[in-house]
């Protein structure tokens, strides 16, 4: 009986060990873990080449491209001027409006170049201290700014105009006429960092009233494609 009891105990122990081993064994072959590609090892997208910056300019001469974001909205400024003009005349004349003034703000929008500035322009001189500064734009309009006080000739070519101007330090300032004997001046100056051209246009009526000032900004470019 003792031997039989020992046999039963041994058999029971074997069964327990076998059951424990079976419980620990996986139900089938282990599946390989899914392959994971580390994001750090993924190839980087190709870098977008940056547009080369133009060299800084020491003065206003060179090729320039219009910067709409940095420029004033001329149409909005002219609209504001008209509304203020009409409001003032209405309040001063019982609401019926006063006499129209020659060259007033209603005529400003006839100046196409003011509300539609060129996309690209070039300022140049034939030689250092040349009294003539030429400006040509991508619309093939040419302006000759003369700084020596010479008598200007009236051009028969609508694409060419001679304009009186003078230097104020490094700034080129013009003296022009607007419609109905109004007055207009432009001031060209280079930004302190030499990367932008600032054109400030100032217009008044014939009496110097109702001023409108618009600033256009142009970025320096090393080569203007549209201007030949």
């Amino acid at each position: 009986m003792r031997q039989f009891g020992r046999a039963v105990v041994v058999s029971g122990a074997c069964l327990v060990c076998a059951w424990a081993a079976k419980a620990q064994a996986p139900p089938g072959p282990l599946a390989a873990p899914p392959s994971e590609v580390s994001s750090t090892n993924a190839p980087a997208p190709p870098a977008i080449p940056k547009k080369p910056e133009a060299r800084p300019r020491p003065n206003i001469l060179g090729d320039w491209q219009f910067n709409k974001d940095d420029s004033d909205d001329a149409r909005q400024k002219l609209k504001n001027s008209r509304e203020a003009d009409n409001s003032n005349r209405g309040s001063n004349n019982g609401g019926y409006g006063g006499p129209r003034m020659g060259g007033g703000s209603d005529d400003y929008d006839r100046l196409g170049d003011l509300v539609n500035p060129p996309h690209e322009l070039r300022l140049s001189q034939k030689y250092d201290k040349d009294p003539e500064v030429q400006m040509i734009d991508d619309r093939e309009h040419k302006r000759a700014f003369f700084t020596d006080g010479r008598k200007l000739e009236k051009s028969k070519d609508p694409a060419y105009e001679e304009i009186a101007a003078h230097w104020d330090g490094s700034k080129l300032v013009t003296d022009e006429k607007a419609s109905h004997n109004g007055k207009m001046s432009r001031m060209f100056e280079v930004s302190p960092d030499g990367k932008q051209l600032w054109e400030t246009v100032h217009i008044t009526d014939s009496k110097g009233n109702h001023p409108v000032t618009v600033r256009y900004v142009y970025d320096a470019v090393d080569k203007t494609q549209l201007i030949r």
Side-chain angles (χ1 to χ4, degrees):
M1 291 295 294
R2 285 183 183 176
Q3 293 180 354
F4 177 75
R6 291 177 181 174
V8 171
V9 172
V10 173
S11 299
C14 292
L15 291 174
V16 171
C17 292
W19 177 83
K22 183 177 181 180
Q24 294 177 358
L30 292 176
S35 60
E36 297 181 358
V37 179
S38 174
S39 59
T40 58
N41 297 329
I48 300 176
K50 292 183 179 180
K51 183 179 179 181
E53 292 186 1
R55 54 185 173 79
R57 305 291 165 76
N59 50 48
I60 66 172
L61 304 180
D63 292 333
W64 307 92
Q65 189 171 62
F66 183 60
N67 184 325
K68 182 179 180 180
D69 294 335
D70 290 352
S71 299
D72 289 340
D73 185 341
R75 292 182 183 275
Q76 186 61 45
K77 284 207 166 189
L78 293 171
K79 179 181 178 182
N80 294 342
S81 176
R82 283 195 297 267
E83 292 175 350
D85 179 24
N86 293 334
S87 176
N88 291 335
R89 287 188 292 106
S91 61
N92 294 333
N93 295 275
Y96 294 101
R100 307 297 298 177
M101 53 186 176
S105 56
D106 283 340
D107 295 312
Y108 290 165
D109 52 359
R110 297 178 184 178
L111 302 173
D113 287 342
L114 179 62
V115 294
N116 297 303
H119 181 66
E120 296 183 347
L121 59 83
R122 173 182 296 159
L123 288 163
S124 63
Q125 288 177 304
K126 293 180 180 179
Y127 54 88
D128 189 29
K129 296 184 179 181
D130 182 5
E132 178 183 358
V133 179
Q134 296 184 357
M135 185 177 79
I136 183 172
D137 60 32
D138 55 313
R139 301 168 185 167
E140 297 184 355
H141 292 167
K142 182 179 179 180
R143 292 180 174 86
F145 302 113
F146 290 102
T147 61
D148 56 359
R150 72 178 66 182
K151 184 178 179 180
L152 305 180
E153 297 182 4
K154 188 173 182 180
S155 174
K156 298 180 181 180
D157 183 357
Y160 175 78
E161 183 180 7
E162 295 184 356
I163 299 172
H166 65 274
W167 289 104
D168 181 8
S170 60
K171 304 172 184 177
L172 180 66
V173 183
T174 71
D175 183 14
E176 306 178 54
K177 292 182 180 180
S179 59
H180 295 277
N181 296 321
K183 298 179 181 180
M184 182 175 75
S185 67
R186 307 178 193 223
M187 181 172 66
F188 297 92
E189 60 182 313
V190 67
S191 63
D193 62 4
K195 295 182 179 181
Q196 289 185 326
L197 173 73
W198 298 340
E199 178 188 6
T200 304
V201 184
H202 186 73
I203 305 176
T204 64
D205 64 14
S206 58
K207 298 180 180 180
N209 300 321
H210 306 278
V212 176
T213 301
V214 180
R215 169 175 279 193
Y216 290 132
V217 178
Y218 294 84
D219 294 328
V221 290
D222 284 332
K223 186 177 181 180
T224 302
Q225 298 296 332
L226 299 181
I227 297 179
R228 297 291 183 263

